[in-house]
Amino acid sequence: MTTYIIRRLLWLIPVLLTVSAVTFVVMRNAPGGPWDTDAERRQVDAATAKSLAAYYGLDKPMWRQFYAYVIGDTNSQTKEWVCGVVCGNLGPSYRQRGRTVQNILFSPPEGKTFWQSRFGYSIRLGVLALSMAIFIGIPLGIIAALKQNTIVDYAALFIATSGISVPSFVLAIFLIIIFASRLHWIDIVVDDWTQIKYWFMPMAVLGFGTLAYTARLTRSSMLEVMRQDYVRTARAKGLAERIVIFIHMLKNALIPVITILGPALAGLVTGSFIIETMFSFPGMGRAYVQAIGQRDYSMIMGTTLVYALLVAVANLSVDIIYVFIDPRIRLEE
Amino acid sequence: MTAQTTASGKIAEFNDVFRPSKSLGQEAWSRLVRNKASMFGLVIIVFFIFMAAFASVISPMNPLELHGGKRFLPPPFDQGATNIKAEPEFLLGTDSLGRDTLSRTIYGARVSMVVGFLPTIIILLLGTTVGMLAGYIGGHTDNFLMRLTDVIYAFPDLLFFIIIMVALRDTFIGQFMNGLVLLFAALAIVNWVGVARLVRGQVLSVKQKEFVEAARCIGAKDNRIMLRHILPNCLSPLIVSAAFQIPGLIITEAILGYLGVGLRPATDSASFFITSWGALMLDGQSAINSQPYLLLAPAICVALVVLAFTFLGDGLRDALDPRMRGTQ
């Protein structure tokens, strides 16, 4: 077990290295350097641009820059060792002068807790959406399976199919137009995210697809389990229906559902940036979209790495949980 | 004379008992036709393909023509909250520059249809080739190719598209055909991985079967075994995966357009691809209160097309593999 986890963790290294290498090469080949303009978007003169490039090591060969980005390098002017991504240093933001990428993403505003940082906001939204998907999606799937081919089942299937196929940002557009611009139940531009009521819409929009997928998977896996011999045996020996459903069926039916939770969480985290932008939610995703608009290359690279790490860790944890809950899974030697 | 009657009578009798045999494809097709939801999906898809192909004939106005002084007109059937008077010839109103929303939405179908179908072909070709080689040859080749797919699989795909589109937008390839070629390349590079895994799995199970062994016994070459014996057995899952691939690509294009890193909007009326649904939604975002149809029209189109492909995909899966019916 331990060797398995260690091997999976080690496998993260080439994956993240590849992600950062690809991102790095593409970004460095993009036309236009980061120091072409100053903070007010005025053209910077050649001498200043050159010294800035030298200060940030952009005059060095590509492999050296990548090495500096990942491991670290000695600054050519201050002669100080600057550690790279391995120490959690994602480098300076090219557009927000004086701030580093990790500072923008992870540091909360003055006097606030970690959960008020951009990363904290995104994590909270993702976890809320995932809990909504689990606590509504799984019961919905169970009920649909138990009442197969009734109106309840068809209604649940309809919700599930539409939830899977309608993309979340299209759903967001519909909801915003109905509830914000027509019914005026909520504000379109929210600046006070400490109030709970504003969280409902982004959470619902973000989680709906996962909810639908969870419901559909729970239903099909329940239907499969219901036909098994051991369920018939349980009924035959006179167990209460409640016990048969909750103890005998669910235990096996939920295994496939758990496997999709990792990719689902990863999808929620990476899929959130478009929802965050639409609801002007102060999370990591919106910072990412703003960075795209401003062509803030270091910010784009840093955020991509954080996202890639999140996705990889989510998948890894589900694989590990899977081994614990399903004794039929044997680890490949 | 009598002999003939008996013979034809026997044939008639034979036909009564044994229906003419149907190929697997015909069987699947007849099952698909009976599925109402899939047929509904197919009709919608055909409708949008026509809309894309004949956009210049269908659209009531020139999608690039600026109507000065007629900005943000609401549609005639819904005056909404604005005090701007609607005009009957603009069925869905106008945008920030006074261009007709309906015509622009109709032209937007072109990008989505092309983005849905063309990269899918590349993805299928690339994925099938890699999956087939990995599964058939095995050993080190398999190991190398599968590790490669693992790495690409771990890459958050939407982020990759964004990075590629942002960085290479102003280069030569990014400007070629309004950036469509670059978009195709980016979509294809990431998405072949799923197809490769699917095909490899299928090849691994098929190549142990007796008919492959038989083919090898009579001296068939590897190429022939792969193309004539193994490939046809991978077709069903491939068709189904293509049906689900297409809506995914359409959504991706819409998201990229919405973020402003998709296709460049054309200003030249000779251009075939005028605008995309994603770009239209980006335009509509700023006028969500005064002219929501700018946002609604492309959003409804995206939702309809994606729903149609999902219905068709579900139907195809049931039709091609009846054992899978109702399990997913």
Side-chain angles (χ1 to χ4, degrees), chain B residues 130-154:
Chain B
V130 173
M132 189 83 93
L133 289 177
Y136 192 77
I137 300 175
H140 288 304
T141 321
D142 184 27
N143 237 327
F144 171 75
L145 288 174
M146 283 305 114
R147 289 292 85 80
L148 184 71
T149 60
D150 279 348
V151 171
I152 298 180
Y153 213 72

Side-chain angles (χ1 to χ4, degrees), chain A residues 44-59:
Chain A
V44 169
D45 62 282
T48 320
K50 203 168 172 214
S51 71
L52 275 169
Y55 182 79
Y56 287 106
L58 297 180
D59 50 352

Side-chain angles (χ1 to χ4, degrees), chain A residues 8-27:
Chain A
R8 287 294 308 265
L9 280 174
L10 287 177
W11 175 237
L12 281 182
I13 296 171
V15 166
L16 289 176
L17 259 180
T18 319
V19 171
S20 46
V22 170
T23 324
F24 190 85
V25 169
V26 172
M27 282 294 153

